[in-house]
Amino acid sequence: MDFLTLLVIYLCFVLAAVALLCARSGRKESFLARSVNGASQVLSFVIPTQLQSATRRVLHRLFHTRSCLFVVLHVALQAAVFGEYTWEVFVYCWELQFHLLLLLLPYLLLAGNVGCFILCSRANPGIITKSNHASLVKIYAYDGVLFQKGILCPTCNMEKPARSKHCSFCSMCVHRFDHHCVWVNNCIGAFNAKYFFLYLFTLTAMAATIAIITAAFLIQVVLLSNMMRGSYIDDQGQERAVEILFLIQHLFLTFPRIVFMLGFVILLTLVLGAYCCFNLYLALTNQTSNEWYKSRRYGWSHHLTLQPHDRRVVYKNTYSKGVWMNLKEIFKPPTVLERKKK
C-alpha cells in the first residue's frame, strides 16, 4: 500500500471522526451518525491504534477545548485573500479605471470587521457568577420545556437561569447562551451577540464585494480581448468556437491565483450568506442557536417528566415579543429593571 493510499484512508478516518463527534451531540443517533459510526469502525481495522489515539487527541484539542488555532487560521485566510486582492486585482482594476470608492470598499468593510471581531472576542458574553446570578435569573422566565426551574449546573454549582447554558470550552455558564464560536475564540451570549451579528454581516459583505469586483475584472478582460468571438484548435486539429469551459481554463491559466481566490470567496459568500440569514431569522424570532437546536428534538421526542401519560410535547417559543422588539433585544439586552416595567 503506497503513501498516497494511506494518506487518503487517514483523511477519510479524520473526516469520519469529525462527523461522528458532531453527530453524537444529539441524544439519539441519526442515520448519518450510524453510517459514520460504521465507517469509523471499518477504518479502525486499517488505521494503526497509535494513529487513532493521536487523531482523537488532536480532534478533542481542536473541537472540545478553547484554542487560538482557528483565530490564527481566520487571520491567515483574510491576509491571503486581501494580499491577492491588493497586489493583483486592485492594480489591474485601477489600470482599467474602476471607480476608486468601489475598490476601497473591501478595505472599509475589513476595518469594520476587525473592530467587530475584537469586540466580539474580548467582550464579556454574559458570564454568570455568584455576584450577578440573582439578577440574571430574574430576566427570563422558565418556559418549562427547554428551561426548567431548579436545575443546577454541576460544574458551577448554581441554578441555571432560563436561556443559559454551561460552555464546556470556557468552563462557565453564559447568560442567553447562543453557541461557542471557535473563530472568535469566545462564547456568543447576551452581551456580545450584537458584535457577532455585525461581525458576520461585515464578513459576508466583504467576501461578496471582493467576489463582485474580481468577477467584474475578469469579465472586463474577456470583453476587451474580444475572446468570446474567437476560435481555437482542439486536440484533433479542428477549429472550434470559444466555449465557457475553454474560457474558464484560459482565465485560470492566465490568472491562476485570481481565479482560485474568486472560487474561494464565492463559496465563502454562499456559506456565510446562508449562515447570516439563519442568524437573522433567529434574531427576528428571539431564539438562540442552542434553543433552536434543542427545540428540534420536540418534533419527534417525548418529554416524560412533564408528560406522564406520554403525550407529545409541542414546543412554543415564549420569548418572542414581535420582530422589532426581538431585534432590539439583540442590540440592547434587557435588564431586571426593564423586565419589571413590562
Side-chain angles (χ1 to χ4, degrees):
M1 188 177 294
D2 60 3
F3 174 77
L4 182 59
T5 305
L6 285 174
L7 181 61
V8 171
I9 294 175
Y10 176 64
L11 290 176
C12 291
F13 173 79
V14 171
L15 292 175
V18 172
L20 183 59
L21 288 173
C22 297
R24 283 183 172 176
S25 58
R27 292 184 180 179
K28 290 189 176 182
E29 286 190 339
S30 62
F31 173 76
L32 177 61
R34 294 194 298 269
S35 302
V36 172
N37 189 23
S40 61
Q41 290 178 358
V42 172
L43 290 174
S44 64
F45 294 105
V46 182
I47 308 300
T49 306
Q50 295 81 0
L51 196 56
Q52 295 180 41
S53 302
T55 303
R56 293 193 191 98
R57 288 195 297 269
V58 171
L59 292 174
H60 184 271
R61 176 69 178 173
L62 289 177
F63 299 104
H64 291 277
T65 57
R66 195 172 183 181
S67 173
C68 293
L69 178 63
F70 284 95
V71 176
V72 175
L73 179 60
H74 171 271
V75 174
L77 289 174
Q78 277 196 339
V81 170
F82 271 90
E84 181 62 25
Y85 174 79
T86 302
W87 297 114
E88 291 206 48
V89 177
F90 186 94
V91 175
Y92 288 139
C93 290
W94 179 255
E95 293 177 355
L96 293 174
Q97 298 181 343
F98 277 55
H99 199 284
L100 180 60
L101 183 60
L102 176 63
L103 298 179
L104 293 177
L105 184 57
Y107 299 104
L108 298 176
L109 291 171
L110 176 64
N113 181 256
V114 170
C116 294
F117 171 80
I118 294 174
L119 289 172
C120 187
S121 60
R122 304 298 297 177
N124 177 6
I127 302 174
I128 301 174
T129 62
K130 292 183 178 180
S131 59
N132 64 13
H133 177 268
S135 60
L136 293 180
V137 79
K138 299 176 182 178
I139 294 180
Y140 294 111
Y142 294 93
D143 62 2
V145 180
L146 300 184
F147 307 103
Q148 303 179 44
K149 189 175 179 60
I151 303 298
L152 294 179
C153 174
T155 304
C156 301
N157 197 25
M158 292 185 296
E159 181 183 6
K160 291 183 178 182
R163 311 193 77 180
S164 69
K165 186 179 184 297
H166 183 86
C167 177
S168 58
F169 288 84
C170 305
S171 188
M172 60 188 183
C173 286
V174 178
H175 174 54
R176 199 183 183 276
F177 178 86
D178 190 278
H179 71 287
H180 181 92
C181 181
V182 295
W183 298 103
V184 301
N185 198 27
N186 197 8
C187 287
I188 308 302
F191 302 143
N192 66 346
K194 53 182 176 291
Y195 302 132
F196 178 76
F197 186 80
L198 294 174
Y199 159 77
L200 187 61
F201 176 79
T202 53
L203 188 64
T204 305
M206 187 172 60
T209 303
I210 293 178
I212 292 172
I213 295 174
T214 305
F217 159 69
L218 294 176
I219 292 173
Q220 189 77 350
V221 169
V222 172
L223 294 177
L224 291 176
S225 63
N226 207 18
M227 192 180 303
M228 290 299 296
R229 298 180 181 179
S231 60
Y232 69 98
I233 305 299
D234 61 11
D235 296 336
Q236 286 74 31
Q238 298 179 352
E239 185 176 0
R240 294 182 178 274
V242 173
E243 301 170 348
I244 296 297
L245 182 60
F246 175 84
L247 186 62
I248 295 175
Q249 292 176 346
H250 177 76
L251 290 174
F252 184 79
L253 292 174
T254 308
F255 309 103
R257 292 194 302 271
I258 293 179
V259 174
F260 182 81
M261 183 196 72
L262 177 60
F264 175 74
V265 293
I266 288 177
L267 178 62
L268 195 63
T269 301
L270 295 175
V271 173
L272 289 175
Y275 188 51
C276 195
C277 291
F278 174 68
N279 275 266
L280 179 61
Y281 161 75
L282 293 179
L284 295 178
T285 56
N286 204 334
Q287 295 183 81
T288 64
S289 298
N290 177 55
E291 293 165 2
W292 180 87
Y293 172 75
K294 290 172 68 175
S295 66
R296 299 306 97 187
R297 295 184 302 204
Y298 290 94
W300 48 265
S301 65
H302 294 75
H303 205 290
L304 299 179
T305 57
L306 290 181
Q307 303 292 335
H309 300 294
D310 200 28
R311 292 165 53 195
R312 184 178 296 274
V313 172
V314 179
Y315 170 72
K316 181 179 180 181
N317 181 16
T318 61
Y319 302 112
S320 180
K321 310 179 190 68
V323 172
W324 171 247
M325 294 301 296
N326 292 341
L327 192 60
K328 181 182 177 182
E329 187 170 314
I330 296 295
F331 294 92
K332 188 182 178 183
T335 61
V336 180
L337 294 177
E338 290 177 345
R339 188 174 184 272
K340 285 182 178 180
K341 291 178 182 179
K342 297 178 182 179

